[in-house]
Amino acid sequence: MTTIRAEEVRIPRRAREAVARHERVVVVNRERPTFVIIHPDDTAAGPAPARRGRPLREALGLLAVAALPDPGFVDDMEAVLADTGPVPGDPWARS
């Protein structure tokens, strides 16, 4: 986490007053929320939330012991492509 001094940031008075009243202040950039300023006393002092997913080491271990594709996999995929017809040059282009 990076820390900056308060005098390095220009916060409007009405925002400072709202934070002092324990109101959240939403900062927008191009009409979209960018971040929220909250009073330090309003932060959760509990443990950090649990991370979702698996650790990379565990995921790589699962992949290492996973079954390999069967020898006919390539033939099956080619058959699927043949049934669907020609694919566009740029699949992300607007149709």
Side-chain angles (χ1 to χ4, degrees), residues 35-89:
F35 58 92
V36 178
I37 302 173
I38 61 173
H39 193 280
D41 293 343
D42 296 339
T43 60
R51 297 184 71 175
R52 294 177 51 187
R54 298 179 186 268
L56 180 59
R57 181 173 290 134
E58 183 180 342
L60 292 175
L62 290 171
L63 289 173
V65 298
L68 296 174
D70 65 280
F73 179 75
V74 173
D75 297 329
D76 293 340
M77 290 307 298
E78 287 176 353
V80 168
L81 286 174
D83 288 344
T84 59
V87 295

